[in-house]
Amino acid sequence: MGTKTAAILFTACLLLSACTATKPESAATSNQQDSAASDSSNSAKDQSNVSSPKSSSKQAGSDDHNSAGKTNAQNDKTSESNETGAATSATSATTNNKMYHLDKAYNVIPNQQGTEKKVVLLTFDDGPKEAAMINKIIDVLDKHKAKAIFFVNGYRVKEHPELLKLIHDRGQPIGNHSWDHIVLKNKSEPEVKKQIETVQKAVKDITGQAPVFFRPPHGAGGDVGRKVAKENGLLYMTWSVGSLDWTMKKNQPNKTEALLKNVTEQLHPGSNILMHELPWTAEALDSILTRLEQKGYQFVDPQGIEVPAS
């Protein structure tokens, strides 16, 4: 009996040992499965936190709109690409360091919060005319550390290419004001293309740089003018404040006071001020810019304004 009992006890011990040895292995397997399930669940959660291409691109489009300050027309153009997941416009705007854009009324608008709002854009149309007058205008601009767009006509550039080079060499931006200063809005597309593109070529041939700003003569470019300008990488604009210097006569008294009144009565943050290469405007310019500074305005550098991709 003692031997049998010992054998039975020995066998029972062996069975008990085998059972307890298998339990940890089973638990480890279960833990691994739980861990895998947990990893899978976390991975799914991580994936759910990443927006789909469509929703991500919509957010990018929204950010692009907020940071780059696109106009509605530009947003219409980019909305389709934004919905497919392309988010390059904001990056491009940041890279190019464009601080402003023009709204539908051609006012200068900051792209981001914190950018100076109380600015004006200075522009001069219908040149280049005379070296002495150009130098006088630019001397005043330099005095006030200001830049202005000089919108030139092609026929004047052809007559005096040295005057165009003078403007360029003195560091002022040059804009396209068509070849003949005609009303473009009722012209055919081939004629409008000729009016705009011949100026683009002439300016580039003389200065090495094609204009990026376009102002239609008389402020009337029409849909075709806008289309051709855009195709040539030109920012189309008219103005939001007119100096009315073009209505004045040589023998009219007190032209400086009249110009000051015309500008300041319409003045507002972002004003796009239209002036011309005229003797009385050159004479009054220092007073005008001084008055603007006294009112707390700064002069926006046109190079900081968004333009279409060429």
Side-chain angles (χ1 to χ4, degrees):
M1 291 293 291
T3 304
K4 289 183 178 179
T5 301
I8 291 169
L9 289 174
F10 178 74
T11 302
C13 288
L14 288 177
L15 290 172
L16 180 63
S17 175
C19 289
T20 55
T22 59
K23 282 183 180 179
E25 181 178 349
S26 177
T29 302
S30 176
N31 287 339
Q32 288 175 350
Q33 290 173 343
D34 290 345
S35 175
S38 175
D39 289 344
S40 176
S41 174
N42 288 337
S43 175
K45 286 180 181 178
D46 290 341
Q47 290 296 326
S48 69
N49 287 334
V50 178
S51 300
S52 66
K54 186 172 183 179
S55 62
S56 175
S57 66
K58 283 184 177 179
Q59 181 62 41
S62 175
D63 291 344
D64 177 56
H65 177 78
N66 291 333
S67 64
K70 299 278 189 180
T71 62
N72 289 337
Q74 289 170 315
N75 283 328
D76 289 342
K77 177 184 177 183
T78 58
S79 61
E80 182 177 352
S81 63
N82 282 341
E83 288 179 359
T84 64
T88 58
S89 297
T91 303
S92 176
T94 302
T95 302
N96 294 330
N97 197 28
K98 301 299 185 182
M99 299 173 66
Y100 296 93
H101 67 280
L102 297 188
D103 66 11
K104 288 184 176 181
Y106 308 110
N107 293 302
V108 180
I109 307 297
N111 284 338
Q112 296 180 345
Q113 289 185 352
T115 302
E116 179 60 51
K117 294 180 180 179
K118 206 170 182 181
V119 296
V120 297
L121 174 63
L122 305 173
T123 68
F124 294 89
D125 285 12
D126 297 357
K129 292 181 178 178
E130 300 174 8
M133 185 162 55
I134 290 170
N135 278 319
K136 187 171 185 177
I137 290 172
I138 297 179
D139 285 345
V140 174
L141 292 173
D142 287 348
K143 175 184 175 180
H144 292 268
K145 296 180 174 58
K147 298 290 185 184
I149 304 173
F150 284 76
F151 285 101
V152 300
N153 294 123
Y155 78 93
R156 292 188 186 276
V157 170
K158 183 179 179 181
E159 291 172 356
H160 295 287
E162 74 282 1
L163 297 182
L164 183 79
K165 193 170 186 304
L166 170 63
I167 297 170
H168 174 75
D169 290 348
R170 294 206 58 181
Q172 297 296 328
I174 294 167
N176 186 327
H177 199 39
S178 85
W179 188 268
D180 288 315
H181 202 276
I182 60 175
V183 175
L184 299 175
K185 67 177 182 178
N186 296 322
K187 303 298 181 183
S188 66
E189 185 168 342
E191 187 169 359
V192 173
K193 284 176 68 69
K194 183 177 180 181
Q195 284 287 323
I196 293 175
E197 293 177 358
T198 49
V199 177
Q200 290 295 95
K201 183 178 186 305
V203 173
K204 186 172 183 179
D205 287 347
I206 295 167
T207 68
Q209 297 177 351
V212 294
F213 302 106
F214 173 69
R215 173 174 283 160
H218 313 286
D223 292 339
V224 175
R226 292 174 185 276
K227 177 177 181 290
V228 174
K230 189 174 182 180
E231 289 172 350
N232 283 272
L234 287 158
L235 177 62
Y236 180 105
M237 72 171 80
T238 59
W239 58 90
S240 61
V241 171
S243 66
L244 301 180
D245 57 354
W246 65 93
T247 67
M248 298 177 180
K249 307 298 181 184
K250 185 177 181 179
N251 59 353
Q252 180 179 329
N254 303 319
K255 288 190 287 293
T256 293
E257 289 75 12
L259 284 169
L260 282 168
K261 184 174 183 289
N262 291 340
V263 170
T264 56
E265 282 187 347
Q266 306 171 68
L267 191 62
H268 57 272
S271 292
N272 179 348
I273 303 175
L274 169 62
M275 296 176 282
H276 292 77
E277 284 188 30
L278 292 167
W280 44 89
T281 305
E283 187 66 33
L285 187 60
D286 189 33
S287 296
I288 293 172
L289 300 193
T290 299
R291 181 69 59 84
L292 293 175
E293 288 172 326
Q294 289 171 346
K295 289 181 172 292
Y297 284 86
Q298 298 179 23
F299 309 114
V300 68
D301 186 339
Q303 291 185 345
I305 299 174
E306 288 181 2
V307 298
S310 58

